[in-house]
Amino acid sequence: MRILVVEDEPALGAQLVRAIGAAGHTVDSAADGATAHYLGEVEDFDAVVLDLGLPKLDGLSVLRRWRAAGRNMPVLILTARGAWHEKVAGIDAGADDYLAKPFHMEELLARLRALLRRGGEHASARWQCGPIVLDTRHARVQVDGQPLQLTSHEYKLLAQLMQRKGEVMSRTELSEHLYAHDSDRDSNTIEVFVGRLRRKLPPGSIETVRGMGYRLVDLDAGA
Ligand code: CA
């Protein structure tokens, strides 16, 4: 999944990027409200962690503007401890959840998982497509009950295909979810990663739809 972290406190920002990245997500970050607002407008994120006290444009205004523009990705806001009015204002502005500072990183990751579940069609942290099972909590994959070793790129790619199983995803869409905003995005490399992933998965798992992209096939369906 692709997550945007908005936090102006450098140490906390870096900690969030590290922890969310280690949970198997692609992370972009912004340290002020104006940058955050821009990224949320032009990029597609699966969820956003948004601090409210930000330079240039405060978090509540960022959130209100996104919602007014129809950007409906799940947003978890970070509020000051005990500031109940911030929580109320945040929810009124369209936040999906909130967490008071200071918080335990584990709790933030759990809340984020819950938001991502709500955002996608999957009702649990364990996603299945035929013989392939992906455990989003531990970023692990099994095929027919056997653990499968994947690189972090291969895992992200598979997670993206599984979240939208049965649907065709274009190379551009996949590369947008795989690479952070400023990194070198090249949809040709997707072909290479799909090739590698394909060799590790049961034959026929990833279907190429000519001129359109790739689709994850449920091998047990209709069998
Ligand atoms: Ca702040």
Side-chain angles (χ1 to χ4, degrees):
M1 305 286 113
R2 192 158 171 224
I3 315 291
L4 175 63
V5 166
V6 187
E7 171 58 64
D8 60 318
E9 215 177 293
L12 181 56
Q15 211 185 336
L16 284 164
V17 168
R18 216 167 29 240
I20 297 171
H25 302 295
T26 303
V27 189
D28 285 84
S29 62
D32 67 78
T35 307
H37 175 249
Y38 169 75
L39 285 175
E41 286 258 294
V42 301
E43 302 282 339
D44 279 326
F45 293 100
D46 297 293
V48 179
V49 175
L50 178 66
D51 183 32
L52 292 187
L54 293 169
K56 293 187 187 169
L57 185 65
D58 68 278
L60 277 182
S61 303
V62 171
L63 183 55
R64 278 193 201 106
R65 289 184 193 186
W66 281 340
R67 295 312 193 217
R71 306 297 282 165
N72 58 3
M73 62 285 198
V75 174
L76 169 71
I77 54 170
L78 302 178
T79 65
R81 188 176 186 77
W84 61 269
H85 57 278
E86 277 195 5
K87 295 172 193 170
V88 174
I91 288 163
D92 284 343
D96 298 272
D97 199 1
Y98 59 83
L99 200 53
K101 289 180 176 182
F103 52 84
H104 287 284
M105 203 51 82
E106 279 307 310
E107 181 171 10
L108 181 126
L109 292 173
R111 300 281 188 102
L112 197 55
R113 280 197 297 273
L115 282 186
L116 290 169
R117 282 201 296 275
R118 253 179 272 164
E121 56 171 303
H122 299 272
S124 81
R126 191 173 164 279
W127 302 354
Q128 183 156 12
C129 182
I132 309 165
V133 174
L134 189 141
D135 172 2
T136 60
R137 197 170 310 228
H138 303 105
R140 283 186 203 134
V141 179
Q142 289 191 335
V143 173
D144 285 324
Q146 296 301 310
L148 185 69
Q149 296 302 323
L150 296 178
T151 64
S152 85
H153 266 64
E154 289 162 358
Y155 174 83
K156 286 176 190 170
L157 184 61
L158 179 61
Q160 208 55 51
L161 286 166
M162 284 195 78
Q163 200 203 13
R164 305 256 306 266
K165 68 176 176 184
E167 285 177 46
V168 180
M169 292 194 75
S170 71
R171 276 189 257 171
T172 310
E173 251 180 304
L174 287 168
S175 70
E176 275 169 9
H177 283 273
L178 209 55
Y179 304 112
H181 182 64
D182 291 326
S183 66
D184 192 20
R185 245 185 225 170
D186 179 359
S187 62
N188 289 321
T189 61
I190 289 295
E191 221 169 319
V192 175
F193 288 120
V194 167
R196 286 187 195 159
L197 189 57
R198 215 174 231 159
R199 284 194 286 279
K200 294 185 178 182
L201 294 174
S205 297
I206 302 176
E207 185 188 358
T208 303
V209 182
R210 261 185 85 168
M212 293 185 68
Y214 302 100
R215 169 162 52 202
L216 193 68
V217 178
D218 184 346
L219 294 173
D220 289 348

